[in-house]
Amino acid sequence: MQDINHYLSGRVKALRAEQGWSLDKTAKQTGVSKAMLGQIERGESSPTVATLWKIATGFHVSLSSLLEPSPVEEQGCVVRSAHQLRHQPAEGEMLVASLFPFEEHYGFEMFELTLLPGYERLSESHDPGVTEHVVVLSGEMELLVNDQWQVLGQGMAVRFAGDKPHGYRNRSQNPAVFHDLIYYPQTKA
């Protein structure tokens, strides 16, 4: 977790420098308080997934670009282990494994996400044209799309416009595990 916070700290500082933004301007663009941004930049905070999404959306970058650099590709192949990558950004949060962080030439990022029992998150709209692809690996979850909650079980898949409000929840007593592939049309990392 310390490595993730260290990388996030440097990444947010670099993004602010690239944009020439003050903490005040960054707070306005992201909807994250100046105090929280300062804590993140000092590596003193483990922000929630919701906070990370606000920062990513404010800077118009992918979520995974805040978590880690792109993996090294050897001879056209990248092998990743969800078990080794899985972490919990903040207490009570979903478990996140960034299987394939965003790379501009591919245009997507892919996560394994685990919703703990009782977890619910409403997501704000992503940038225009962003599309999400959800495939349930185990358990049962609900997905909010077009203002309606849809129940999804193991093996079910949904593609939807991520540039509209949406949400994820788990009302069951067991974890729900799913893959989420997020496509970004012409988005910088």
Side-chain angles (χ1 to χ4, degrees), residues 104-120:
E104 191 169 358
H105 63 280
Y106 291 119
F108 74 88
E109 62 189 344
M110 183 174 180
F111 298 96
E112 178 208 75
L113 302 172
T114 303
L115 304 182
L116 301 176
Y119 178 82
E120 181 174 320

Side-chain angles (χ1 to χ4, degrees), residues 3-19 40-41 52 55-56 59-70 102 187-189:
D3 289 339
I4 292 169
N5 287 344
H6 180 73
Y7 182 79
L8 174 62
S9 168
R11 184 73 172 122
V12 172
K13 286 178 195 173
L15 287 167
R16 272 199 326 112
E18 286 172 20
Q19 297 294 327
I40 290 168
E41 285 193 7
L52 291 171
I55 294 169
F59 280 111
H60 304 287
V61 298
S62 66
L63 175 64
S64 63
S65 72
L66 298 177
L67 302 175
E68 66 177 291
S70 296
F102 181 83
T187 299
K188 64 179 181 172

Side-chain angles (χ1 to χ4, degrees):
M1 188 48 113
Q2 188 63 22
D3 289 339
I4 292 169
N5 287 344
H6 180 73
Y7 182 79
L8 174 62
S9 168
R11 184 73 172 122
V12 172
K13 286 178 195 173
L15 287 167
R16 272 199 326 112
E18 286 172 20
Q19 297 294 327
W21 291 354
S22 65
L23 276 176
D24 284 326
K25 169 99 181 197
T26 304
K28 287 177 184 152
Q29 291 294 120
T30 63
V32 176
S33 75
K34 183 176 166 182
M36 174 58 79
L37 289 166
Q39 289 175 0
I40 290 168
E41 285 193 7
R42 291 188 302 275
E44 298 172 354
S45 177
S46 296
T48 64
V49 171
T51 299
L52 291 171
W53 268 117
K54 286 181 177 183
I55 294 169
T57 301
F59 280 111
H60 304 287
V61 298
S62 66
L63 175 64
S64 63
S65 72
L66 298 177
L67 302 175
E68 66 177 291
S70 296
V72 176
E73 192 170 311
E74 295 181 24
Q75 299 177 345
C77 183
V78 175
V79 177
R80 312 265 290 167
S81 166
H83 176 71
Q84 291 175 340
L85 298 167
R86 197 174 297 121
H87 67 279
Q88 194 168 13
E91 192 65 33
E93 283 287 291
M94 70 173 84
L95 303 178
V96 178
S98 182
L99 297 175
F100 296 104
F102 181 83
E103 293 181 68
E104 191 169 358
H105 63 280
Y106 291 119
F108 74 88
E109 62 189 344
M110 183 174 180
F111 298 96
E112 178 208 75
L113 302 172
T114 303
L115 304 182
L116 301 176
Y119 178 82
E120 181 174 320
R121 184 170 96 69
L122 300 176
S123 179
E124 296 175 6
S125 303
H126 304 307
D127 285 339
V130 171
T131 305
E132 292 196 37
H133 306 75
V134 168
V135 180
V136 180
L137 302 174
S138 65
E140 183 178 279
M141 64 178 282
E142 293 180 41
L143 183 66
L144 179 65
V145 178
N146 298 326
D147 297 322
Q148 291 194 351
W149 287 100
Q150 300 177 32
V151 177
L152 304 174
Q154 182 175 347
M156 294 184 76
V158 176
R159 179 177 56 215
F160 63 95
D163 58 3
K164 295 182 173 109
H166 52 283
Y168 315 87
R169 71 181 178 197
N170 179 359
R171 290 183 153 179
S172 77
Q173 298 302 310
N174 299 305
V177 182
F178 65 100
H179 282 163
D180 191 359
L181 184 143
I182 304 172
Y183 171 73
Y184 297 89
Q186 301 176 344
T187 299
K188 64 179 181 172

